[in-house]
Structure formats: C-alpha cells, structure tokens
Amino acid sequence: MVRQKTSAFQSSKPVTIKDLAEILHTTPSTVSRALRDKKGVGEKRRKQVKDLARKMNYQPNTVASGLRKGKSRTLGVIVPRVNRDFFSDVIAGIEEVAFDHKYSIIICQTHDQLDREKQYVETLLSARVDGILASLSLETNTYDHFRKILNARIPLIFFDRIPAEMDTSRIVIDDFEGAYRAVKHMIDNGYRRIIHFAGPDYLNVYRNRKEGYLAAMKSCNLPVEEDMIIHNNLTLEAGRKSMEEVLNKGMVPDALFSASDYAALGALLFMQEKKFDIPGQFGVAGFSNEKFTSYINPSLTTVDQHSREMGRYCTELFLKESIGEKPPPSKIMLSPELLIRKSTQRKSKQ
Amino acid sequence: MVRQKTSAFQSSKPVTIKDLAEILHTTPSTVSRALRDKKGVGEKRRKQVKDLARKMNYQPNTVASGLRKGKSRTLGVIVPRVNRDFFSDVIAGIEEVAFDHKYSIIICQTHDQLDREKQYVETLLSARVDGILASLSLETNTYDHFRKILNARIPLIFFDRIPAEMDTSRIVIDDFEGAYRAVKHMIDNGYRRIIHFAGPDYLNVYRNRKEGYLAAMKSCNLPVEEDMIIHNNLTLEAGRKSMEEVLNKGMVPDALFSASDYAALGALLFMQEKKFDIPGQFGVAGFSNEKFTSYINPSLTTVDQHSREMGRYCTELFLKESIGEKPPPSKIMLSPELLIRKSTQRKSKQ
DNA sequence: AAAAAACACACAAACGTTTGTGTTATTCTG
DNA sequence: CAGAATAACACAAACGTTTGTGTGTTTTTT
C-alpha cells in the first residue's frame, strides 16, 4: 500500500488564495481579508477560511503581496565580509531586531571591492528591499550608487564605515575616543615611543583612530615622527611585515597601537619571535575586540565596539525611518570601551 | 538656483517597463524582450530601448519578475548562529558561489532554537526562495518543517548538522575520521587517559566525533570509562566547568579531546590556571579550527572542517539540483584536516 | 514572381496578492 | 416602521513583469 501522508504533505503547486476562495465559493478578496483579520468578514466565514487554509497548508506568497503592496519586508545588509568577528556580530544584532519585526535580511559581501558593492546595491534596489544597512568597502571612493538608494526613497543607514560626503543616518563608535583612551592608557603605563598602524585615510574609522592616537601623544607632549605612522592593509601578515620593516629601519619603538587587532597580532607574534618581552619591552594594543584577543598570551588590550548593539541600533534606526514622514537623519555615536589586558601592562611602570 | 542633478538622480516612483514602452510608443512585451536580449526585437529598437532604460535609470523589479516566473533567484540559509567562525565561514563560501550565479541569500539565525527554525522555514517558503541550505539547531528533534520544503519541491541541502531521518542532499565532513585522527595522534604522542567533551548524541556531528574518539581508543586498547565522556553544551564556560568537575572527582586524565574548540579552550585555560603544563602534563585538542586556536599559547591542535569549501559545495549542490529533473540526493563527505599544533605535542614522548 | 519562411512587433493573459467600490441584506435609530 | 447606518460580501482593477499567440511586413527560396 502506498504510504499516505497527512494532507499537510501533499505536493504539487502551492495553494493560493484563489484556490481557497473557489473551494469556499467566495472571492479572493474575502479570503485575503479573512486571513489577515481585516474587517469586512463575518465571524463564521473567517473561521471557515482560516480552517481551510490550515488544512490545505496554505503558504502566503510574499512575492505577490510584496508586488501589490510595494513593500517586501526585507532588509539589505552590505558588509565587507561576513566572516569577520566585528561584522558577523553586527549582523547577529541586525538579525535579532529584524526577526522581532518580521523582516528578513539579505546579506551582501563586498569583499572590500567597490564594484561588488555597486552591483549589490543594484540587486537590492531591484529586489525592492525596504531598507539598506551598509558599511563601506575599503575601495569605496564614490557614492553615486548609494545616492540612488536615497533617490529611490529607501532608508539607508550606514554603520561603522561611513561616507563623510553623504547626509544619511549613521551609527558609529567614537573611534577617536577609543584610540585616544587606548594610547593614553599606554602612555600612562610608561610607553613613550608608540608607533601606529593605520588604515586608509579616506575611511572615517581609520582617520579618526589616527587622530585619536595623535591627540593622545600630543596631550603628553610626545613627538610623533612621520615614520611612526605606518599605513598598511591591517591584516595579520601586513602587521608582521610592517613590524619587521620598522625594526629593519633601525627604529626602536616601545609600543604599538594598531587600528586593527589582526595587524596588532601580526606584530605581536613577530616581536615574540624576536624574543621581545611583551608587555615588558614592547606594548601592543589593537582595535575591535576580535574574539581571539582575550585568548592569546599575553591577552591583547583592545577597544570594544559594541558590535552587536550597533547592529541592533542600526535596525532600530531603520524601523524609525521606515514609518511616517522621513525624519532628519539620526547620527548616533556609541562610546567605545577600552579593554585593558596584559599586552600593555608593564610590571613596573617606567 | 536649485541644484540640478543628472537624470540618474530624479526621485519619484521607479520607472517601469510600461513607462518605457509608452514613451517609445511600443508595448511592454517588446521592451521586456529587448532588455533581456530575447529574440523578436529588431536591432534598432533594441538599442533604442536599452538607451532609454539607461537614461531613465530603469531598475528591473525582481519582485514582479519573480512572481511571473515563479523563481526568485534567492537562496535561504539557515544556521544556528551567524557569528561563529565556522558558520560565518560557510556563509562566506555560500555567498561567493551564489553571487557568481546571481543569487541573493537570505540568512536566518535559529539561535539553536527549534521554534525559530520552524518560523524561518515558513518565512523562506513564503518568500518563495529557490532553495534552502540549512544546518540544524541544537534543539531540532522533529523534521516536519523541513519535509514541507521538500513537498514544495524546493531543493534542500543540509550541511554539517544533518538529520539522519531525511533523505536529502547533504554535505558533511567526516567527523568520525577527524576525531579518530586527532585522538590517534594524541595517543601517538603518549597520552593515555584521554577524556572527551561531547555534544548531544542526537546530532550527527557530535555522535560521530564521539564514535571516532571511541574507535581510536579501542584501536589502541585503551579503556574508556563511562565518566571519561562528558556531555556539556560545549561553550567556553562549560569546558572550564566540566574540567573543574573532572578534577574534583579525583580523576587524573592526561589529555582532553573536545568536540568543540571553545570547550577545549575553557578547559585549557582552567588547567593553565591550575598550573598544569600544556602539553607536557596535559594535552588538549579541539574541533573546528576556530580562528583563535592558532593564536593562543600553546596553539591548539584542532580539526579543520573546510568551512568555506563546505559553503561553496553546498551552493553548487543546490545549483545542480535546481536544474532539470530532480537528481537523486547527493551525499558528500569532505575529508577533515588534522591541524597538529603545540597543545598536543609533548616534548618527550611517553 | 509566387510561395514559404522569418522577422518585428502588438495584444492579451497570467503570476498571487491587496484594496477601492459597488450591491445587497441586516441592524440600528427615532 | 421608514430611513439611515452598518455589515458582509462580490466585483474588478492594480502591482510590474513575462510569455504565448496573432498579424502584418520583410526576406528568403525556388
């Protein structure tokens, strides 16, 4: 005998509102209203419809309803990479709030490439997402693709890596403050010749971290020679290499403040190979609070960016913008948290 | 004077195919065919249409075309958490292949909760995604929601955490083999009383890792007492706590093979606090190759799961299933890679 | 040069909803 | 109990595409 599944498991084409209407000898409009608890449908009929819908395993078609309503209850999220702790934490935060409000999220990885970013903006626009949350790619130096989003009257919220050139809602942490506090802390611990690994100047986050570094040094009257600021791409390998070059040039820094944890790690590993005592002879601080920073030895002083909260806020900003008349853009700046760990704590101060 | 933007920046309602048709005194069908390079449109007209589309910044509406075509070029991805290295790496892999084939991906976090998983399946089904890639939540012990996907004739590919109960395409790594090799390696390095942190038995991955552990021990005639296998939820805290309990019970293991890197780390940190020399007095190996494992000290021996490749394969499996007649489900098993690091390398063997 | 084939296009229906408007029956009001 | 208000529904149009079919026109074939 053929195995007979319950009616929930019939295959074939999905059941539509029309099908339900036909069976009940009524019309699609009534069924639609019944299902969504809109008025204009009698008690009895409503129950009848809902019962049948359940029985026939009716699945609402959000594509159709999206087309009709002009809303997709979908959010586009554009990030450089999904598998970076910072970004995946932000995404986790976004997803949480989005889920609570019945939004789905489409994620887009730019791989830090401008043309991918552009292409994804097109895709999201075509998908008629209700909003876009984005963090700039490293290559982004033009913003017309983002302006298109605004012109389409779709809420656009930037987080972390934001364009100075556009007047949109945005949420960042205070990178300047985070860097300033990290460097100040290092100085307080007796480090003096602190070098800095910086990212590209055209990205707000790296520019601000550099400024924070400079301000902290200046506030203590510590000189910053030109070659104490090393721009690289902030990967582990870049950090290791830059550190090597610094030593090869004959410089004798006693600490490093890196705009990225990975680059900090690269330098730290290199210095350990060279038998430098960390934090004794050389202090290291990073930025972002990647998970590994608390597990390595010595644990790495870093700046936490409240990534998950950033994601949550970001989505809340979108929700605010998506209802009613467009409010003026909100600019939120979260306070970073300096996490003082072993890599910057000298046993004896200066 | 009012600032005048180029035509690319007009606001108002999006341009539709109908609009283009009207302007060119032709019909939507012709415009549609012209834009998509379908035959039935003259050279001249085609150029005319494309030029106008560009000029008016026409954005195709994938919602409408999705409704008409019954395909959304969208993939649903269901994972326990997006901010775990393993899963975010898989997602990165999925995104890469999906992007190349012009698919968008909707990501869903179950937070290891069954009801969230169910709800997301409904959402994805309603969104009429073209396929679903999923890894089970810890709580999943019922599969009707997944069967619905199959009944809707939507390709469903499981990865890593898969249900034994369903006959779908799937891709896993050989957890048994990975565990076996890890434990064998530890035995080869002189460890004898190796304990095991295991996850829930109803999840294939943890069951297989445990089996691998048992097989390796057995192959060397090493006894495994009941209390040498500790089930916990595999978090860092759980690892620490379990380790503490083991010692408190008066057991004297000389090594740990943990089904998770985090739990391994918890145990490792605890043992270090208790002044055990690792790997000298106590060896530790984990599973998953989380990023931090190579940066900690001692670096952690672990098993790499080729997560990115898994994501890529997974999407390729979907692509294969989405064309033509449904092929029989593919069952792919990737070979894990044992990464031998310091945490299991005794200076002097035995 | 007539018949056949190919082409360029218009027309119309369809995908599955949602929503405004009309129609009839029921309930309410004074 | 007439008239108004309300309710329960049906009807039809619309969202923006895609695609099958029909109709002239041009090109090719012989």
Side-chain angles (χ1 to χ4, degrees):
Chain A
M1 181 183 158
V2 178
R3 190 156 57 123
Q4 183 72 43
K5 293 286 198 161
T6 94
S7 62
F9 296 113
Q10 289 162 6
S11 35
S12 82
K13 299 278 112 180
V15 178
T16 71
I17 281 189
K18 252 189 219 165
D19 298 334
L20 299 181
E22 203 163 321
I23 294 177
L24 296 176
H25 301 293
T26 176
T27 64
S29 52
T30 299
V31 173
S32 172
R33 284 188 250 254
L35 290 172
R36 289 171 306 134
D37 286 321
K38 295 259 170 182
K39 66 178 164 209
V41 184
E43 183 61 31
K44 228 176 122 178
R45 177 124 292 196
R46 192 181 300 276
K47 181 171 181 337
Q48 196 184 122
V49 169
K50 286 188 171 180
D51 285 350
L52 184 66
R54 195 176 352 267
K55 187 168 144 230
M56 299 194 52
N57 204 243
Y58 166 72
Q59 288 278 353
N61 183 329
T62 50
V63 178
S65 105
L67 175 60
R68 174 62 229 241
K69 300 212 281 192
K71 313 234 130 271
S72 59
R73 274 206 112 67
T74 295
L75 235 49
V77 177
I78 303 179
V79 294
R81 325 200 86 97
V82 299
N83 54 347
R84 276 260 168 156
D85 284 352
F86 171 69
F87 289 115
S88 65
D89 284 345
V90 173
I91 293 175
I94 291 173
E95 188 272 346
E96 288 167 19
V97 180
F99 180 84
D100 289 345
H101 291 82
K102 304 197 191 309
Y103 277 88
S104 295
I105 70 181
I106 294 182
I107 58 155
C108 311
Q109 252 192 141
T110 63
H111 294 264
D112 273 320
Q113 292 163 16
L114 176 58
D115 52 329
R116 271 195 172 233
E117 189 175 89
K118 285 183 180 173
Q119 200 170 332
Y120 263 129
V121 167
E122 294 294 320
T123 303
L124 293 178
L125 248 22
S126 283
R128 298 294 192 268
V129 295
D130 295 339
I132 295 181
L133 316 181
S135 199
L136 298 179
S137 91
L138 271 183
E139 291 182 358
T140 305
N141 52 10
T142 163
Y143 306 98
D144 281 358
H145 51 304
F146 286 119
R147 278 189 251 276
K148 264 193 197 171
I149 301 173
L150 261 23
N151 281 109
R153 304 217 182 294
I154 292 174
L156 169 62
I157 325 273
F158 283 105
F159 60 92
D160 197 51
R161 297 184 186 176
I162 61 176
E165 290 82 348
M166 292 184 68
D167 185 44
T168 64
S169 284
R170 54 193 43 188
I171 172 162
V172 291
I173 61 139
D174 192 336
D175 290 282
F176 178 94
E177 180 69 17
Y180 185 91
R181 272 155 57 186
V183 175
K184 198 74 189 352
H185 150 77
M186 296 175 90
I187 297 172
D188 288 347
N189 269 256
Y191 299 104
R192 290 290 174 268
R193 295 179 307 283
I194 306 171
I195 62 173
H196 176 51
F197 285 174
D201 267 333
Y202 52 81
L203 272 187
N204 60 302
V205 293
Y206 300 119
R207 199 170 51 238
N208 293 337
R209 289 172 200 177
K210 189 172 80 177
E211 293 300 329
Y213 157 79
L214 287 171
M217 294 294 276
K218 186 161 189 181
S219 78
C220 298
N221 291 312
L222 292 174
V224 176
E225 318 288 330
E226 203 172 303
D227 58 2
M228 289 170 67
I229 297 179
I230 298 103
H231 287 262
N232 62 35
N233 70 4
L234 299 176
T235 59
L236 193 149
E237 291 68 29
R240 161 175 259 127
K241 196 146 162 271
S242 291
M243 199 65 229
E244 184 170 9
E245 285 167 7
V246 163
L247 293 196
N248 285 346
K249 277 208 276 184
M251 293 172 64
V252 280
D254 61 2
L256 160 70
F257 167 63
S258 166
S260 133
D261 283 332
Y262 280 99
L265 176 63
L268 186 148
L269 293 174
F270 177 79
M271 292 302 269
Q272 283 184 328
E273 280 164 23
K274 294 294 165 193
K275 303 298 178 205
F276 279 79
D277 174 48
I278 295 175
Q281 296 171 275
F282 192 77
V284 182
F287 208 108
S288 286
N289 193 19
E290 293 279 327
K291 289 198 192 76
F292 72 79
T293 56
S294 58
Y295 307 141
I296 63 174
N297 202 332
S299 54
L300 186 67
T301 292
T302 188
V303 178
D304 184 75
Q305 303 183 85
H306 302 302
S307 13
R308 205 192 196 88
E309 286 70 28
M310 191 177 281
R312 301 186 63 96
Y313 260 106
C314 211
T315 316
E316 277 157 16
L317 274 191
F318 155 75
L319 291 171
K320 207 167 293 169
E321 293 212 0
S322 69
I323 51 170
E325 276 323 292
K326 208 184 172 199
S330 324
K331 324 251 166 165
I332 294 186
M333 190 177 263
L334 301 179
S335 252
E337 186 177 359
L338 176 62
L339 300 175
I340 297 174
R341 303 221 183 89
K342 295 201 185 130
S343 66
T344 54
Q345 293 190 283
R346 277 187 161 159
K347 283 88 189 167
S348 59
K349 300 202 178 176
Q350 180 94 13
Chain B
M1 182 183 155
V2 178
R3 194 155 58 118
Q4 184 70 41
K5 293 288 200 162
T6 95
S7 63
F9 296 113
Q10 291 163 5
S11 33
S12 83
K13 299 278 111 179
V15 178
T16 72
I17 280 189
K18 252 190 220 165
D19 298 334
L20 299 181
E22 203 163 321
I23 294 177
L24 296 176
H25 301 295
T26 178
T27 64
S29 52
T30 300
V31 174
S32 172
R33 285 188 249 254
L35 288 173
R36 288 172 306 134
D37 287 321
K38 295 259 169 181
K39 65 178 166 208
V41 184
E43 183 61 32
K44 230 176 115 178
R45 172 110 320 176
R46 192 182 299 277
K47 181 171 182 337
Q48 195 184 110
V49 168
K50 285 188 171 179
D51 285 350
L52 184 67
R54 195 178 350 267
K55 187 168 144 231
M56 298 195 52
N57 204 240
Y58 167 72
Q59 288 277 353
N61 183 331
T62 50
V63 179
S65 104
L67 174 60
R68 175 59 229 244
K69 300 213 283 196
K71 312 234 132 271
S72 59
R73 275 204 112 65
T74 296
L75 235 50
V77 177
I78 303 180
V79 294
R81 324 201 87 95
V82 298
N83 53 348
R84 276 259 169 156
D85 283 351
F86 171 68
F87 290 114
S88 65
D89 284 344
V90 173
I91 293 174
I94 292 173
E95 187 272 346
E96 288 167 18
V97 181
F99 180 84
D100 289 345
H101 292 81
K102 304 197 190 309
Y103 277 87
S104 295
I105 70 181
I106 294 182
I107 58 156
C108 311
Q109 255 193 137
T110 62
H111 295 264
D112 274 321
Q113 292 163 14
L114 176 59
D115 51 330
R116 271 195 172 233
E117 190 175 270
K118 285 183 179 172
Q119 200 169 331
Y120 264 129
V121 168
E122 294 293 320
T123 304
L124 293 178
L125 248 23
S126 283
R128 298 295 192 267
V129 294
D130 295 338
I132 295 180
L133 316 181
S135 198
L136 298 179
S137 92
L138 272 183
E139 292 181 0
T140 305
N141 52 10
T142 163
Y143 304 98
D144 281 357
H145 51 305
F146 285 120
R147 278 188 251 275
K148 262 194 200 173
I149 300 173
L150 260 24
N151 281 109
R153 303 216 182 295
I154 293 174
L156 169 62
I157 325 274
F158 284 104
F159 61 91
D160 197 54
R161 297 184 185 175
I162 62 175
E165 289 82 349
M166 293 183 68
D167 184 44
T168 64
S169 284
R170 54 191 46 187
I171 172 164
V172 290
I173 61 141
D174 192 336
D175 290 283
F176 177 94
E177 180 68 18
Y180 185 91
R181 272 154 58 184
V183 175
K184 198 76 188 350
H185 151 77
M186 295 174 90
I187 297 172
D188 287 345
N189 269 257
Y191 299 106
R192 289 290 174 269
R193 296 179 306 284
I194 306 173
I195 62 173
H196 177 51
F197 285 174
D201 267 334
Y202 52 82
L203 271 188
N204 59 305
V205 292
Y206 299 119
R207 198 171 51 239
N208 293 338
R209 290 172 200 177
K210 188 172 81 178
E211 294 301 330
Y213 156 79
L214 288 170
M217 295 293 277
K218 185 161 193 183
S219 78
C220 298
N221 292 313
L222 292 174
V224 175
E225 318 287 330
E226 202 172 306
D227 58 2
M228 287 171 68
I229 296 179
I230 299 105
H231 287 262
N232 61 36
N233 70 2
L234 299 177
T235 59
L236 192 150
E237 292 68 30
R240 162 174 259 129
K241 195 144 162 274
S242 291
M243 199 63 229
E244 185 171 8
E245 286 167 7
V246 164
L247 293 196
N248 284 347
K249 276 207 277 186
M251 294 171 64
V252 281
D254 62 3
L256 159 70
F257 167 63
S258 166
S260 134
D261 284 332
Y262 280 100
L265 176 64
L268 186 149
L269 293 174
F270 176 79
M271 293 302 269
Q272 283 184 327
E273 281 164 23
K274 293 294 167 196
K275 303 297 175 205
F276 279 79
D277 174 46
I278 296 174
Q281 298 172 274
F282 193 77
V284 183
F287 209 107
S288 286
N289 192 19
E290 294 277 326
K291 289 197 192 78
F292 71 80
T293 56
S294 58
Y295 306 142
I296 62 174
N297 202 329
S299 54
L300 185 69
T301 291
T302 186
V303 179
D304 183 75
Q305 303 183 83
H306 303 301
S307 14
R308 203 193 197 86
E309 286 70 29
M310 190 177 282
R312 301 185 63 95
Y313 260 106
C314 210
T315 316
E316 276 156 17
L317 273 192
F318 154 74
L319 290 171
K320 206 166 297 169
E321 295 214 358
S322 69
I323 52 172
E325 275 324 292
K326 205 178 174 204
S330 325
K331 324 250 167 166
I332 294 186
M333 190 176 264
L334 300 179
S335 252
E337 185 178 357
L338 175 62
L339 300 175
I340 298 174
R341 303 222 184 88
K342 296 199 185 134
S343 65
T344 53
Q345 292 191 282
R346 275 188 164 158
K347 282 88 189 164
S348 59
K349 300 203 176 176
Q350 180 114 13

